[in-house]
Amino acid sequence: MDDPVLLTGAGGAVGAAILEGLEDAYEWKLMFHSPPAEEPDHEYLVGDVSSEGDVAAAMDGVSAVIHLAGDPRPEAPWDSVLENNIDGTQKMYEAAVDEGVEKFVFASSNHAVGSFETDERTPEMYRPDDQYRLDGTELPRPGNLYGVSKATGEVLGRYYHDQYGLSVCNIRIGNLTRGHPPIDYERGQAMWLSYRDCAHIHDCALQADYEYEIVYGISDNDRKYYSIERAKEVLGYDPQDNSAHFDGEERVAEPEP
Ligand SMILES: NC(=O)C1=CN([C@@H]2O[C@H](COP(=O)(O)OP(=O)(O)OC[C@H]3O[C@@H](n4cnc5c(N)ncnc54)[C@H](O)[C@@H]3O)[C@@H](O)[C@H]2O)C=CC1
Ligand SMILES: O=C1O[C@H](COP(=O)(O)O)[C@@H](O)[C@H](O)[C@H]1O
């Protein structure tokens, strides 16, 4: 990929994981919401994804997009997800079409399908011996308005793929934490995404050929209720981490070679 890749939400946690892993792999164009504390080593701009002008400036000259910017709070109120997540994502897609962008990677979420975690299925579905799996072919079942906004982002991608031909990959990100999986949180351990696997799955989404995809972005955890088979098959995702290899903050086992 010769042209720059636009990374929105570059100042956030997922942005940090991607940049730490892929700093030198791409020519990045970074979009921040507020001026970064340190001068980045890459081209950047400050703007809001709900501003048409800011989004057009961000999109100028890029051929691929990783769109992370938005309100990430599961408890975010409607006004915020409507503006930052839904309207912002629609403006991003519209500008991507105008620019002739080929590939659009969207940060979707486990919360787009949170209502599959029913009282009958939990906590068993979070445990290693449970076989229940979501695989990305199921309809969204959000458990909050934030999840509704992520499901809407996926549907916007469907529309822009079908009508304008963009390649779209929706990554339903699990729970990204640095260094080790969440502690005393079975659900979080089941959907843990390590920093290096986060960078790797986004690299795969920039490199692979596909039409429209919904995949789960989690590490290869023994506990899991999201299948990573589609990500492996279509994107070539080969995760290195597993929350079962940790005892609290301590790594107690190495990945198999
Ligand atoms: N961290 C996680 O475990 C997960 C994250 N996600 C999604 O990944 C994306 C990134 O999440 P995080 O890095 O964790 O959040 P974060 O809050 O650390 O980063 C989000 C960034 O987006 C920026 N932003 C927010 N509204 C904006 C707007 N209107 N215009 C421009 N920039 C704006 C913020 O300033 C922030 O730097 C979000 O879309 C989130 O919903 C999804 C599932 C799990
Ligand atoms: O989509 C997201 O999911 C993660 C994990 O969800 P949680 O309910 O286990 O906290 C969350 O931490 C992140 O903020 C959110 O954007």
Side-chain angles (χ1 to χ4, degrees):
M1 195 162 291
D2 294 332
D3 294 328
V5 177
L6 172 61
L7 181 70
T8 72
V14 179
I18 292 172
L19 288 172
E20 283 173 25
L22 304 175
E23 179 96 48
D24 300 326
Y26 297 94
E27 192 186 330
W28 293 103
K29 184 172 184 182
L30 310 179
M31 186 183 194
F32 296 94
H33 206 192
S34 49
E38 283 176 27
E39 192 69 13
D41 291 335
H42 303 276
E43 181 184 3
Y44 77 96
L45 77 165
V46 176
D48 195 303
V49 293
S50 65
S51 153
E52 254 173 53
D54 290 353
V55 166
M59 207 63 76
D60 187 38
V62 309
S63 62
V65 176
I66 298 178
H67 177 42
L68 308 175
D71 189 334
R73 296 171 298 161
E75 70 283 7
W78 181 243
D79 284 357
S80 178
V81 296
L82 185 59
E83 178 174 335
N84 296 297
N85 299 9
I86 298 178
D87 189 46
T89 299
Q90 192 271 338
K91 285 197 165 67
M92 286 289 297
Y93 269 113
E94 200 64 32
V97 168
D98 288 346
E99 185 61 26
V101 161
E102 291 158 21
K103 204 163 270 181
F104 197 110
V105 182
F106 174 64
S108 186
S109 169
N110 60 89
H111 286 280
V113 287
S115 285
F116 282 101
E117 296 168 50
T118 58
D119 289 347
E120 292 71 36
R121 292 191 183 116
T122 58
E124 287 73 22
M125 69 191 285
Y126 306 141
R127 297 189 171 153
D129 48 356
D130 195 89
Q131 297 306 310
Y132 185 79
R133 294 284 183 276
L134 301 176
D135 65 6
T137 60
E138 61 281 332
L139 287 172
R141 278 183 72 178
N144 47 43
L145 294 173
Y146 163 73
V148 171
S149 77
K150 290 295 166 181
T152 306
E154 294 179 359
V155 175
L156 282 167
R158 183 80 244 182
Y159 166 71
Y160 282 96
H161 167 70
D162 287 339
Q163 295 301 316
Y164 298 100
L166 276 81
S167 296
V168 173
C169 185
N170 302 285
I171 303 180
R172 287 181 178 163
I173 300 172
N175 192 335
L176 177 82
T177 56
R178 188 191 282 280
H180 58 81
I183 295 170
D184 294 335
Y185 182 29
E186 284 187 288
R187 174 173 185 268
Q189 291 163 4
M191 58 169 172
W192 183 48
L193 178 63
S194 71
Y195 265 51
R196 67 171 158 181
D197 288 339
C198 179
H200 170 58
I201 197 168
H202 284 88
D203 190 22
C204 292
L206 289 174
Q207 295 295 332
D209 287 327
Y210 49 81
E211 299 291 326
Y212 176 86
E213 291 295 333
I214 296 175
V215 299
Y216 284 98
I218 62 168
S219 289
D220 192 9
N221 307 315
D222 285 359
R223 296 174 187 271
K224 60 166 87 69
Y225 55 97
Y226 300 140
S227 168
I228 54 175
E229 292 311 306
R230 187 72 187 164
K232 286 181 171 177
E233 188 185 320
V234 174
L235 304 183
Y237 180 49
D238 181 21
Q240 301 302 302
D241 288 308
N242 178 345
S243 56
H245 293 168
F246 288 79
D247 181 2
E249 296 185 13
E250 216 49 40
R251 184 185 280 280
V252 291
E254 292 302 320
E256 285 170 24

